[in-house]
Amino acid sequence: MPWITDNIDTTSTADLACGATAYLRRGEGRLLKSGGLWIYDNEIDRVEGSCDNGDILSVADYDGYFLGYGFYNGRSKIRIRMLSRRKEDIITPAFLTQRVRAAWEYRKKVIDVGSCRVIFGEADFLPGLTVDKYKDILVVESLALGIDRLKPILLAALVRALASDGIPVRGIYERSDAKVREKEGMERFCGFLSDPFETKVQIMENGVRYLVDVENGQKTGFFLDQKENRRAIQRLCRGADVLDCFTHTGSFALNAAIAGAAHVTAVDASDLAVAQARENAALNGVEDRVDCLCADVFDLLPQLAQEGRRYDVVILDPPAFTKSRSSIKAAARGYREINRRGMALVKDGGFLATCSCSHFMDPELFARTIAEAARDAHRRLRQVEFRTQAPDHPILWASDESYYLKFYIFQVCEER
């Protein structure tokens, strides 16, 4: 089958914009002017010129002052997503190629690129596009109509950037199955953008081997954003009895085992995830010290407490409890409950690693929620460290959506 990157000219200087201009209402564009990349539907006064959904157009303030270029979608509440603020940066294939190469060069400086996130949407000034690299496989998620149209150019540029560093890409798979695509007027899609390949890919991270299922795994198959946080728990786990909750494919559990944990219990509610965790434990030769259990964590923790179980290290890596502002209060209750029950299972002087991956759960609210859980559990917390997502998921200031992962390590003490 033809690759999506075949016969794409990434050096062309042809202008990709439609020639139309969107004008903001007087007093609008505050987010944009403070560094953000989104313009909402209620901020736009009018569009002059012919423009179809997905087209690139110019953006101007109410008085005609040039503000940049972005792609337009009249179906979306996020009406325009910005690509550039400089008038001289006409959006061409060559310009987009520079953006992709800049993203790759950044990763080479900040992280092990064996497996990493190569493009992180707005934080790489390519809004709506995510590309993860698993060894020699690329997995793509495209969530905006405008960037979806540019996808062949961007992927061709990325394949060529990797090739120039001696990294041939064996295949590309798309995981654009998020419901948000429907708000952009797009259908959900999963499938090959290259010749088909075996979709279970073996990678290594922090000395741990994983089989990543890019076709059936969650998101793009693996959670690369926790790479440095998984490494951070290794030093706590030597000789320890560890409980890893919401283990997914066993990533924290395996880091604990590789570091020398005496025993690890890895828990997840998904049969598929637990099966993959067992497979990964065997791949690393630690299946004798890692028990993988399929159970609801909220049901299991009270049961363990009733049995009098205590652990040297408890790890809580739950899914996002909220994906909207309207459910923040309910999410906070969930985080408080899971942390209360988790820290109650930690031995005096043991450690709790806990995190939230919802950007709506801001750092202040998350910290306050953990403090309330400690009070309810009658535990004292000594903060060891606070971390965020790995640097291949850079946080772009003024783009709140790019800052989502909060990760704490605490020592848990009985009240003294």
Side-chain angles (χ1 to χ4, degrees), residues 14 16 24 30 34 49 66 77 79 85 98 178 224 250 256 264 266 378 405:
L16 298 175
L24 301 187
R30 288 182 291 274
S34 64
F66 179 83
K77 185 175 179 63
R79 194 56 49 93
R85 297 171 183 273
Q98 290 176 352
L224 292 164
V264 183
H378 304 291
L405 183 60

Side-chain angles (χ1 to χ4, degrees), residues 153-371:
I153 297 171
L154 296 168
L155 291 177
L158 180 55
V159 167
R160 290 163 196 177
L162 294 172
S164 68
D165 279 334
I167 305 172
V169 172
R170 181 162 56 93
I172 307 174
Y173 196 85
E174 182 161 2
R175 285 292 304 272
S176 297
D177 48 0
K179 190 174 182 180
V180 70
R181 274 177 67 97
E182 296 174 0
K183 296 180 179 180
E184 290 278 314
M186 297 188 291
E187 294 181 356
R188 303 189 206 185
F189 173 78
C190 289
F192 293 99
L193 301 181
S194 67
D195 295 331
F197 54 87
E198 169 55 52
T199 54
K200 281 191 174 181
V201 184
Q202 186 177 144
I203 68 168
M204 179 177 283
E205 176 197 276
N206 302 337
V208 182
R209 292 182 175 86
Y210 303 94
L211 280 173
V212 176
D213 188 342
V214 303
E215 181 178 17
N216 300 305
Q218 291 186 37
K219 298 291 186 177
T220 65
F222 192 68
F223 294 107
L224 292 164
D225 51 5
Q226 293 274 29
K227 179 185 291 189
E228 302 299 328
N229 301 336
R230 288 189 279 263
R231 188 196 304 273
I233 64 107
Q234 289 190 5
R235 61 180 177 272
L236 306 175
C237 293
R238 187 166 189 81
D241 189 8
V242 179
L243 176 64
D244 177 25
C245 300
F246 311 99
T247 194
H248 188 225
T249 57
S251 57
F252 275 105
L254 294 174
N255 275 265
I258 288 291
H263 184 265
V264 183
T265 302
V267 185
D268 201 278
S270 164
D271 287 320
L272 176 62
V274 169
Q276 291 175 328
R278 288 195 182 108
E279 191 174 17
N280 285 329
L283 186 64
N284 287 276
V286 295
E287 64 271 30
D288 58 327
R289 289 184 288 120
V290 178
D291 286 335
C292 299
L293 177 63
C294 187
D296 185 306
V297 171
F298 281 94
D299 294 334
L300 179 66
L301 296 192
Q303 178 184 330
L304 294 173
Q306 190 173 16
E307 294 171 359
R309 292 296 306 273
R310 295 293 183 271
Y311 298 87
D312 299 298
V313 179
V314 172
I315 302 163
L316 302 174
D317 182 20
F321 289 162
T322 177
K323 295 185 178 180
S324 68
R325 298 192 186 280
S326 62
S327 58
I328 288 176
K329 287 185 178 180
R333 288 194 297 270
Y335 282 114
R336 185 169 61 247
E337 178 69 8
I338 202 71
N339 278 279
R340 180 181 70 82
R341 294 192 179 279
M343 64 182 68
L345 291 172
V346 181
K347 296 176 183 177
D348 185 22
F351 295 90
L352 172 73
T354 184
C355 63
S356 167
C357 61
S358 171
H359 82 87
F360 292 106
M361 194 76 180
D362 64 57
E364 293 75 21
L365 177 57
F366 187 50
R368 188 165 66 249
T369 301
I370 294 171

